[in-house]
């Protein structure tokens, strides 16, 4: 439970919060949602004169509704839900400027509006709001510390902050510090899951190694999925058992394609090509890919190209944060022996990423530019991201060259993760235009 049920106001808010969390995990639009929403909103509005938090809670309810609508691709409805939420927040901030809940809302709005895809960001601008990532992250961090002495509220504040770190880009160091500052065993399962996913995001699942490797907890399936995924990354054979357990019990569809993908990789590296192909076909047979991990699994299964064993092994080492080991794995490969053009691009890109993250700038740029050269006709993400990262490496010392590579990224950005690449290009372009 995230807060005490002191009154009808909190009960109404928590009722919608539970609906929101359930929809986020099972991906299904709630039955009879409009009627439930009407009852919740009526209850909150009835308490406006009795509790200063009522207006802020109304804002949160409509934020949650907007996120739910985005998750089922009802983008226009989501924009108008966010607009309602924005109006309640502005009112709450005006009437109760010292209210802690308004700090949290400032963080949420700045991040949502600052990262909304085009053309919805433009639509949001038309109806009066925009966002700033830095302000958003700082507000959520302030909210977290402001609630650090209240256990239930602290868990909720941490959940908001960790989810923001997972979905947006505060920088690797901030995510790492959040993970290290969290007492993992004391967290609610949902918060554990979000914090652990943050560790995967920055390729440091080892930060949760003791828990992920040794936990016997099987009652919260999303954590079973992460445990299996982590074990595949570190070449622990028991990862398959966790992924099979997850797949058998998973009724929501969330992370199912990704679980099949990681299990298939383990089978492939063990030499079980038949098992690999069977699981890859299982990914294609799904009709629901709710998370970005699932969408990535679907995209890769559609390539119909058998992986290169050492490229795959180096990818797993990289995702586990073992960059030098990934390089060592790649350097055992004779580049001339790689006949598939897309895998040639991937080889150069993965070397570039490893050297980049080991701060070997010149070597990273060499391999990135090779990936760009080889990726002229490739529709995977390797070439455009190689151009983006090359621009990033040149940004401070040679902005003219950085701008050239951003133009290359735009030119090559015609396939996977097009929107994500576009946002990265936009961010770097803005940084180049900002005087130091």
């Amino acid at each position: 439970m995230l807060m005490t049920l002191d009154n009808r106001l909190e009960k109404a808010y928590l009722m919608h919060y539970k609906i929101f969390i359930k929809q986020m995990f099972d991906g299904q639009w709630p039955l009879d949602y409009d009627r439930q929403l009407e009852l919740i909103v009526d209850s909150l509005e009835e308490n406006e004169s009795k509790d200063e938090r009522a207006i802020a809670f109304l804002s949160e309810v409509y934020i949650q509704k907007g996120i739910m609508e985005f998750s089922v691709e009802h983008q226009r409805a989501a924009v108008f839900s966010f607009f309602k939420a924005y109006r309640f927040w502005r009112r709450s901030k005006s009437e109760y400027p010292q209210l802690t809940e308004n700090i949290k809302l400032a963080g949420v709005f700045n991040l949502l509006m600052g990262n909304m895809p085009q053309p919805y960001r433009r639509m949001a601008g038309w109806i009066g709001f925009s966002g700033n990532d830095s302000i958003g992250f700082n507000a959520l961090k302030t909210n977290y510390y402001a609630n650090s002495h209240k256990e239930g509220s602290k868990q909720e504040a941490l959940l908001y902050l960790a989810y923001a770190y997972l979905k947006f880009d505060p920088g690797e160091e901030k995510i790492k510090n959040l993970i290290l500052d969290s007492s993992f065993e004391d967290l609610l399962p949902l918060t554990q899951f979000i914090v652990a996913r943050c560790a995967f995001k920055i390729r440091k699942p080892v930060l949760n190694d003791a828990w992920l490797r040794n936990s016997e907890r099987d009652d919260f399936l999303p954590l079973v999925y992460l445990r299996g995924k982590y074990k595949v990354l570190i070449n622990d054979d028991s990862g398959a058992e966790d992924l099979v357990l997850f797949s058998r019990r998973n009724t929501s569809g969330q992370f199912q394609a990704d679980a099949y993908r990681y299990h298939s990789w383990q089978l492939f590296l063990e030499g079980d090509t038949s098992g690999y192909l069977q699981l890859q076909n299982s990914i294609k047979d799904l009709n629901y890919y709710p998370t970005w991990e699932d969408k990535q699994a679907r995209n890769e299964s559609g390539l119909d190209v058998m992986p290169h064993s050492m490229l795959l092994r180096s990818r797993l080492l990289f995702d586990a944060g073992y960059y030098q080991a990934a390089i060592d794995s790649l350097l055992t490969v004779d580049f001339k022996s790689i006949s598939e053009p897309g895998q040639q691009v991937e080889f150069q890109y993965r070397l570039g990423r490893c050297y980049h993250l080991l701060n070997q700038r010149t070597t990273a740029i060499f391999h990135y530019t090779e990936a760009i050269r080889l990726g002229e006709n490739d529709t995977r993400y390797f070439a455009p991201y190689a151009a983006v990262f090359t621009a990033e490496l040149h940004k401070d010392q040679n902005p003219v060259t950085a701008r050239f590579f951003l133009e290359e990224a735009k030119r090559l950005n015609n396939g996977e993760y097009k929107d994500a690449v576009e946002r990265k290009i936009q961010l770097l372009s803005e940084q180049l235009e900002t005087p130091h």
Side-chain angles (χ1 to χ4, degrees):
M1 189 173 295
L2 295 178
M3 60 177 70
T4 56
L5 296 176
D6 292 333
N7 54 42
R8 192 178 174 196
L9 179 83
E10 290 178 346
K11 289 180 182 179
Y13 168 74
L14 273 182
M15 186 183 298
H16 195 272
Y17 189 83
K18 290 174 182 176
I19 293 170
F20 167 65
I21 293 298
K22 185 176 186 301
Q23 196 269 343
M24 287 292 99
F25 272 103
D26 66 25
Q28 304 300 314
W29 193 256
L31 294 173
D32 203 20
Y33 175 70
D34 289 344
R35 186 184 68 82
Q36 294 181 74
L37 177 67
E38 183 179 358
L39 292 173
I40 291 166
V41 169
D42 285 348
S43 182
L44 293 174
E45 288 179 338
E46 287 171 9
N47 281 274
E48 281 187 30
S49 61
K50 303 173 188 175
D51 194 314
E52 62 184 10
R53 298 171 299 167
I55 304 171
F57 281 173
L58 281 163
S59 180
E60 286 198 55
V61 163
Y62 279 104
I63 286 173
Q64 293 163 11
K65 180 175 182 282
I67 294 172
M68 290 163 61
E69 287 163 336
F70 253 115
S71 74
V72 294
E73 299 185 354
H74 294 167
Q75 286 92 341
R76 287 182 179 272
V79 169
F80 286 105
S81 291
F82 290 145
F83 182 53
K84 285 184 179 180
Y86 179 78
R87 290 176 64 184
F88 279 121
W89 170 54
R90 297 281 296 192
R91 195 175 139 209
S92 178
K93 190 168 66 166
S94 173
E95 295 181 22
Y96 306 106
Q98 303 304 316
L99 188 66
T100 302
E101 280 77 3
N102 288 327
I103 300 173
K104 174 172 65 178
L105 289 169
V108 171
F109 273 111
N110 273 282
L111 289 167
L112 280 175
M113 298 308 113
N115 291 275
M116 189 177 290
Q118 296 288 11
Y120 303 106
R121 193 188 312 176
R122 190 179 303 116
M123 288 173 59
W126 292 341
I127 53 181
F129 48 85
S130 60
N132 180 291
D133 281 9
S134 179
I135 293 173
F137 288 127
N138 288 336
L140 289 180
K141 192 171 183 179
T142 299
N143 176 62
Y144 174 58
Y145 287 123
N147 285 284
S148 60
H149 61 291
K150 298 178 285 187
E151 186 52 40
S153 297
K154 177 183 177 181
Q155 290 265 355
E156 187 190 39
L158 176 59
L159 181 62
Y160 268 86
L161 182 60
Y163 192 75
Y165 280 7
L166 177 66
K167 290 296 182 182
F168 307 116
D169 188 15
E172 184 174 317
E173 198 62 28
K174 288 183 179 179
I175 297 176
K176 180 180 176 182
N177 289 338
L178 176 73
I179 296 166
L180 293 174
D181 289 345
S182 302
S183 180
F184 202 76
E185 295 296 338
D186 296 332
L187 302 179
L188 295 170
L190 174 60
T191 315
Q192 287 181 335
F193 177 64
I194 299 300
V195 171
R197 283 184 76 196
C198 286
F200 279 85
K201 175 180 178 177
I202 61 171
R203 299 170 302 280
K204 289 196 169 41
V206 69
L207 294 174
N208 297 131
D209 176 83
W211 186 88
L212 286 169
R213 192 193 290 263
N214 300 319
S215 172
E216 298 300 324
R217 182 169 189 165
D218 294 338
D219 58 334
F220 191 67
L221 277 181
L223 288 171
V224 176
Y225 151 73
L226 280 189
R227 189 174 68 203
K229 185 171 177 174
Y230 176 63
K231 289 178 179 178
V232 172
L233 289 179
I234 62 173
N235 199 26
D236 181 337
D237 292 345
S238 66
E241 298 173 15
D242 290 318
L243 293 173
V244 168
L245 174 63
F246 171 79
S247 297
R248 284 176 178 168
R249 294 185 182 176
N250 181 25
T251 59
S252 73
Q254 300 265 2
F255 306 105
Q256 187 57 68
D258 197 44
Y260 283 150
R261 175 172 62 150
Y262 272 79
H263 188 188
S264 76
W265 286 346
Q266 181 164 352
L267 294 178
F268 181 82
L269 292 174
E270 291 172 353
D272 184 356
T273 304
S274 176
Y276 164 81
L277 290 172
Q278 184 177 348
L279 285 169
Q280 287 290 306
N281 285 330
S282 294
I283 295 172
K284 296 175 188 176
D285 290 340
L286 296 171
N287 56 15
Y288 183 52
Y289 305 91
T291 71
W292 70 263
E293 293 97 332
D294 292 324
K295 290 179 175 64
Q296 187 179 43
R298 176 194 60 192
N299 291 342
E300 293 184 1
S301 70
L303 296 172
D304 291 323
V305 175
M306 291 294 286
H308 187 290
S309 60
M310 295 311 291
L311 282 177
L312 177 56
R313 197 173 297 281
S314 70
R315 176 179 182 174
L316 295 176
L317 288 166
F318 177 84
D319 287 345
Y322 301 120
Y323 307 135
Q324 187 58 55
I327 291 171
D328 294 342
S329 176
L330 287 167
L331 292 182
T332 65
V333 178
D334 179 3
F335 179 71
K336 294 179 182 178
S337 70
I338 304 175
S339 58
E340 207 283 313
Q343 291 178 348
Q344 294 177 352
V345 183
E346 181 182 0
F347 177 87
Q348 297 294 348
Y349 171 79
R350 296 206 181 282
L351 276 174
R353 288 297 286 140
C354 291
Y355 283 117
H356 186 170
L357 292 170
L358 289 172
N359 296 316
Q360 298 184 37
R361 182 176 178 275
T362 302
T363 310
I365 289 172
F366 170 79
H367 289 289
Y368 281 150
T369 52
E370 283 296 290
I372 295 166
R373 180 179 66 82
L374 293 167
E376 286 286 335
N377 300 311
D378 194 52
T379 56
R380 297 212 62 194
Y381 64 88
F382 305 122
Y385 262 121
V388 166
F389 290 128
T390 306
E392 187 177 280
L393 286 168
H394 282 293
K395 174 170 65 74
D396 294 330
Q397 297 180 8
N398 196 334
V400 173
T401 302
R403 290 188 181 92
F404 168 79
F405 281 105
L406 284 182
E407 290 301 315
E408 286 290 276
K410 291 178 186 177
R411 182 176 64 82
L412 294 164
N413 189 25
N414 59 358
E416 284 183 324
Y417 316 126
K418 187 172 182 178
D419 288 344
V421 175
E422 189 175 294
R423 286 195 295 272
K424 189 78 173 174
I425 292 169
Q426 181 63 33
L427 177 63
L428 281 172
S429 297
E430 290 170 0
Q431 291 173 359
L432 283 166
E433 295 303 319
T434 303
H436 293 289

